[in-house]
Amino acid sequence: MPGPLRRLPANRVLGSRVSHHHVAVFLLTFFSYSLLHASRKTFSNVKVSISSQWTPADLNDTALELQPYELWNSSHLFPDTGEATLFLGTLDTIFLFSYAVGLFVSGIVGDRLNMRWVLSFGMCSSAVVVFVFGTVSEWLHFYHKWFYCCLWIVNGLLQSTGWPCVVAVMGNWFGKAGRGFVFGLWSACASVGNILGAFLASSVLQYGYEYAFLVTASVQFAGGIIVFFGLVTSPKEVGLPEAGEESDGVGAAEEDVSEPLMGGSDSYDEDDQNYTVQAADPSSSPQPKAIGFFQACCLPGVMLYSLAYACLKLVNYSFFFWLPFYLSRNFGWKEAEADRLSIWYDVGGIIGGTIQGLISDVLQKRAPVLAISLILAIGSLFGYSRSPNNKVINAVIMAVTGFFIGGPSNMISSAISADLGRQEMVKGSSEALATVTGIVDGTGSIGAAVGQYLVSLIQENLGWMWVFYFFILMTSSTVLFITPLIVREISALLRERPALRLAG
């Protein structure tokens, strides 16, 4: 049967195979990573308050209202807000560098240890570090640059346990049938976490920024306990076959529709049929075995998407870390108002990731969808850089920008990472998924880490307009890196059109 015809029942196959275990895994992994992102978002949402706390009284209007003049000026870290802002950017860079290093390690560890233990440990330990960083230090009035740096390095390493584990668990439970839509919807966990973090921070910010850290750390710690006792990392733990391993009629259909999107072949011939028959025979599949780091790097598409994600995550995380600060400083809006308004970027990302994932499922190609979205993102970035001092207009353009930037970012970090870790070359090694995810997200985090320092540096010396020009350059570089994949997938689509017409 021609390849295009075999894809038609993908959504029906997916719907027929969803159990209450799938729903529980979807929700637990979704909210576990949402809580990790909520604690990160808290730091970006309270930057103005922290900057005020770290500077002398004569450079801000709130100092004398909070505590006596002598006590305030005896504990300030920086002589002015400019240096405080630069240090906040340095903390973002430190966090992302340690997070990137941790991702490379966590992916390998997650493929070899119980992912439930790794994820729960990371969530609970990170919550403790965030609590000490933002709450305990303020309660004790202990301010020290190296203390903050060391804590944020540890926090980055601990938080890195989250993404490779949750993507790998989702990959174990959900096959390629409808993966773009399922992972597009599921990858909204980061944006939902951003919204949750902004809501929690703004709701208690009037009492002091330390309570924003307290609330998010407490919720995250509780989430880690729930994950430890409730998450089932693989269908095999409850006596079910993993995605794509069924031997009945539905499973065979699943194998047909789940042919790797990242495979090296563009045509549908006898080799496709041989692949399907072999995959349906359990005796022909070797036992799952974790692959090495360099083997994972050499898989088709891994390095191209990793480099592309480094550029794209730089832009996406710059909005994540700096958007509330930008709105507050550039337009003079109150910090709590800027926090709430920044939510619209994440709303756009949620919608973008879901719709673009669904479109990529229909086309069975990811790269062309990414390319179109990123080209439109360049225009939206240019438009947002010239947004007027109007909250409604700003929110609309912000949501559009989130749609075209956050959507592709969610696709690369989730659905495409799962595709890369489940392609034909590692069909017998289901233990490759966390390693591949760690490589893609780790490389992306290195780019984001460099970007956060550059953003603060460019803003300080050239202004916010040049920051947006920098974002446009990085978005264009993302398209450049995936150009070979775009050409290959568009060529495959053009070859499939005659087959579809003949089938009709």
Side-chain angles (χ1 to χ4, degrees), residues 239-392:
L240 297 174
E242 283 198 5
E245 289 187 357
E246 294 76 0
S247 57
D248 57 14
V250 174
E254 164 80 8
E255 279 303 312
D256 285 340
V257 299
S258 65
E259 181 175 344
L261 297 182
M262 302 300 164
S265 175
D266 293 329
S267 61
Y268 301 93
D269 52 19
E270 289 81 2
D271 292 339
D272 284 329
Q273 298 174 3
N274 292 337
Y275 163 75
T276 303
V277 172
Q278 292 169 2
D281 181 10
S283 62
S284 67
S285 299
Q287 292 298 318
K289 180 181 178 182
I291 68 172
F293 176 83
F294 292 105
Q295 288 176 286
C297 289
C298 293
L299 292 174
V302 169
M303 290 312 300
L304 285 176
Y305 272 118
S306 296
L307 293 172
Y309 193 48
C311 299
L312 185 58
K313 191 169 184 177
L314 183 155
V315 180
N316 194 42
Y317 262 54
S318 294
F319 274 90
F320 170 76
F321 281 116
W322 290 102
L323 186 54
F325 185 87
Y326 165 75
L327 294 174
S328 181
R329 287 292 171 87
N330 193 60
F331 296 110
W333 298 336
K334 293 181 180 179
E335 191 175 15
E337 293 177 344
D339 290 346
R340 287 191 289 269
L341 194 66
S342 67
I343 288 174
W344 288 103
Y345 178 83
D346 297 297
V347 171
I350 293 172
I351 300 172
T354 304
I355 293 178
Q356 292 167 35
L358 182 59
I359 295 173
S360 71
D361 275 343
V362 173
L363 296 177
Q364 284 290 292
K365 298 289 182 272
R366 312 284 194 211
V369 179
L370 290 179
I372 294 173
S373 179
L374 291 171
I375 291 172
L376 294 173
I378 295 173
S380 66
L381 282 169
F382 185 81
Y384 188 69
S385 67
R386 287 158 173 77
S387 174
N389 193 346
N390 182 289
K391 294 177 183 177
V392 175

Side-chain angles (χ1 to χ4, degrees), residues 204-217:
V204 298
L205 193 57
Q206 57 183 320
Y207 305 108
Y209 73 81
E210 65 270 25
Y211 292 99
F213 285 105
L214 173 63
V215 171
T216 52

Side-chain angles (χ1 to χ4, degrees), residues 160-238:
S160 69
T161 60
W163 191 246
C165 289
V166 294
V167 172
V169 171
M170 283 289 292
N172 289 341
W173 281 92
F174 294 90
K176 277 198 174 62
R179 178 176 284 167
F181 174 72
V182 172
F183 273 74
L185 183 63
W186 175 83
S187 64
C189 58
S191 297
V192 170
N194 295 343
I195 294 172
L196 178 62
F199 172 76
L200 292 175
S202 61
S203 62
V204 298
L205 193 57
Q206 57 183 320
Y207 305 108
Y209 73 81
E210 65 270 25
Y211 292 99
F213 285 105
L214 173 63
V215 171
T216 52
S218 301
V219 174
Q220 180 180 314
F221 189 90
I225 300 298
I226 294 173
V227 165
F228 181 81
F229 289 104
L231 181 63
V232 180
T233 60
S234 171
K236 294 180 179 179
E237 294 183 16
V238 291

